[in-house]
Amino acid sequence: MKRFYVTTPIYYINAEPHLGHTYTMVVADTLARFHRARGSETFLVTGTDEHGDKIAAMAAEHGEPPKVYADRMSPLFQQAWQDCGFVVDQFVRTTDPRHERLVQEFLQRVYDNGDIYFSRYAGLYCTGCERFLTEKELVGGNCPDHKRPPELIEEENYFFRMTRYLPAVQQHFEAHADAIFPDHYRNEVLAMLASGGIGDLCISRPKSRLEWGIELPFDRRYVCYVWFDALISYVSGLKMHGEDTFRAFWPTAHHVMAKDILKPHAIFWPSMLLALGLPLFRRLLIHGYWVRGEAKMSKSLGNVIRPLDMKRQFGIDTLRYFLLREMAFGQDASFNEDAFVARVNADLANGLGNLVSRVLSMQQRYFAGCVQPLEGDTPADRDLQAAFAQALEEVPQWTEQLAFHRALEALWRALDRANKYVVDTAPFTLARNAQNLPRVGAILHRLLECLYTTAVLLSWFLPETSQKMFSLLGLDSPGHVPSNLGWGEHFPPGHRVRPPATLFPRIDLHRDEAAAPRPR
RNA sequence: GGCGGCGUAGCUCAGCUGGUCAGAGCGAGGGUCUCAUAAUCCCUAGGUCACUGGUUCGACUCCAGUCGCCGCCA
């Protein structure tokens, strides 16, 4: 059986889920559903990163122990993703004992192999970044991101002998052109590797400075530093379901993330895997930022659109549609309310929603919902069918290439044709004369087939909508992507479809604002 | 400073290896239908394809330089 393993980064619990997190989840969820529809067994891992200076500091600010703080914050993510309906197979908390044990086991293994050494280190440390800064990075003596001076710290730490594995990592990415997507991020990684500027990786913090972390198994005075802890969640999430699950899924791993954490995933992680004697992940899938004006949507900056509020107000599929349709995966995209409303109204309300409404309405009015025989074969009929046959071919292809915006565009081209078909064939005019009713029935049957095919192709993009459509059609989802349209085979003789329902109400911001404050 | 990338109609963007490539969607204006969520459908955009040179019979598409954005690295 084919398998597909997809991960998101584990999210740092210093803030609530934001749009960036949500986008990553939507992509991972969409990929998992797509591969499942293609017949693969899938596994999705996400989670929360709960260790580190910043978390300890935030907990202290709230006057609570770090674990209490983490126990309060982590469920915000878990609950959010559940509310959004994402198909999470394992939610990994880095404070989970199962995860901690694996991190320790891995640390010990690498240590035993001689790839971890002890050394003195001095540098300028920014607690905001949780890393050492170079002199050159400073702006006016301050950290450029956090606008405050770093501390001069000199201490002894453990280092992972990453340099030993960099040539092999470089070879791997040279040999596997698709291992990092999109291409230009692979080029950046290769440039980084070729520059020779990458050294060994500091993987510890003395407990005297930071207690909130996983203890090094070979030195109890130290805890593990972030990446050696966090990245291993991709493995621990699988191992929590057993060694067989790990062995089955790991080689198919697809790590989805935003571009800011490319380096740890493309350099540190493969080095770690090589040191551990594990196969490398299959691919890194790197997406851009949602920008609003100039600033990026980051967890440290304030201008955050609250995805859960949007979900509550407009529904998860409306949010999913906008995110997937508006961003070309890999590039930045801008998020603003006008674009959101325009897109949703034009495509979802006026396009898909209205088509469903008008077709089911006529089916109800002229035939009491009873589906009529599919007969006749006019040029318009063939045209319509060709449009959907093309969508059935293109949508999965574009999805496979992570061009979600193109996939949806392709599907909407077909939907536009369906709306045009209604006008061109004018069943509502034909229906005035009883002798035309067989033709009217055939036209509507074809349109119902359009909705069926659309529901199939939306099943990984807009799962809720897809389900609603199948329910309106009175049919079950086939659960997979069929190889051909199969029009004429879905509705048994005498089958009744349900009366129309509003899938996506038009958004009228001005009226909402005038009438009442929008719910938040 | 080194190396990507980008700059195409009001907006968001397509345009692969040069010759129906000057396009799509949205917005805006006009019209039609009435099944439908005042939705659908049809018509309407003359934008020097950032700028300047060059290669070529011919460049938005190749080359060089300039300006402006952005990313990565140092």
Side-chain angles (χ1 to χ4, degrees), chain A residues 8 23-24 29-30 72 119 187 217 223 305 307 322:
Chain A
T8 77
Y23 176 73
T24 311
D29 179 82
T30 297
R72 198 159 53 74
S119 177
N187 296 339
V223 296
I305 294 166
F322 181 81

Side-chain angles (χ1 to χ4, degrees), chain A residues 98 140 227 238 253 273 277 284 331 371 375-376 388 395 405 448 453 457 465:
Chain A
R98 293 171 296 177
W227 288 110
L238 285 176
L273 289 167
L284 303 179
Q331 294 182 268
V371 180
E375 56 189 39
F388 277 82
V395 172
H405 65 307
L448 291 170
T453 301
L457 293 175
T465 301

Side-chain angles (χ1 to χ4, degrees), chain A residues 155-403:
Chain A
E155 63 192 23
E156 292 179 305
N157 266 311
Y158 285 90
F159 289 80
F160 167 48
R161 212 181 293 279
M162 191 161 69
T163 45
R164 174 178 285 178
Y165 297 97
L166 294 179
V169 171
Q170 186 170 355
Q171 247 179 344
H172 181 263
F173 288 136
E174 276 166 358
H176 298 83
D178 68 343
I180 301 178
F181 180 89
D183 269 355
H184 80 271
Y185 288 117
R186 169 170 169 265
N187 296 339
E188 278 181 9
V189 168
L190 287 174
M192 250 186 270
L193 287 163
S195 76
I198 300 168
D200 287 336
L201 185 66
C202 182
I203 58 158
S204 71
R205 290 291 180 269
K207 280 191 185 171
S208 56
R209 191 151 69 74
L210 172 70
E211 280 197 52
W212 184 234
I214 298 174
E215 192 174 86
L216 296 188
F218 42 81
D219 190 338
R220 304 186 52 184
R221 299 171 304 161
Y222 286 84
V223 296
C224 178
Y225 168 67
V226 53
W227 288 110
F228 226 92
D229 175 358
L231 288 166
I232 287 171
S233 65
Y234 299 144
V235 171
S236 66
L238 285 176
K239 291 210 175 198
M240 286 175 192
H241 292 248
E243 280 303 309
D244 289 347
T245 301
F246 171 69
R247 270 195 294 275
F249 283 100
W250 175 248
T252 70
H254 286 63
H255 299 311
V256 181
M257 78 208 70
K259 59 187 179 182
D260 56 333
I261 48 175
L262 172 61
K263 184 174 175 179
H265 283 80
I267 311 267
F268 306 171
W269 185 222
S271 302
M272 288 165 60
L273 289 167
L274 288 169
L276 287 162
L278 293 173
L280 299 193
F281 48 80
R282 173 71 186 78
R283 300 183 85 187
L284 303 179
L285 308 177
I286 317 297
H287 71 252
Y289 291 136
W290 284 97
V291 295
R292 185 171 201 175
E294 285 300 289
K296 69 173 185 179
M297 308 284 277
S298 128
K299 49 194 171 184
S300 303
L301 300 173
N303 65 341
V304 179
I305 294 166
R306 303 185 59 175
L308 294 181
D309 291 342
M310 297 207 55
K311 183 231 160 217
R312 264 193 293 280
Q313 190 176 349
F314 303 111
I316 185 61
D317 277 6
T318 299
L319 181 57
R320 286 175 75 112
Y321 182 79
F322 181 81
L323 294 178
L324 293 169
R325 177 65 182 79
E326 204 73 7
M327 176 178 268
F329 186 91
Q331 294 182 268
D332 289 354
S334 65
F335 191 108
N336 70 72
E337 210 165 49
D338 290 344
F340 181 82
V341 172
R343 189 101 248 170
V344 167
N345 280 344
D347 295 359
L348 294 181
N350 301 348
L352 174 60
N354 186 54
L355 179 67
V356 168
S357 180
R358 69 198 307 200
V359 170
L360 292 180
S361 172
M362 283 188 278
Q363 190 63 241
Q364 202 61 37
R365 175 182 300 212
Y366 304 137
F367 302 104
C370 189
V371 180
Q372 304 299 300
L374 184 67
E375 56 189 39
D377 185 28
T378 69
D381 297 342
R382 283 195 294 272
D383 232 44
L384 180 71
Q385 184 151 341
F388 277 82
Q390 194 175 347
L392 182 64
E393 188 182 328
E394 288 182 355
V395 172
Q397 279 173 6
W398 286 123
T399 305
E400 184 136 46
Q401 296 170 41
L402 297 146

Side-chain angles (χ1 to χ4, degrees), chain A residues 71 133 208 240 338 385 415 456 462:
Chain A
D71 286 345
L133 305 175
S208 56
M240 286 175 192
D338 290 344
Q385 184 151 341
L415 287 170
V456 167
L462 310 181

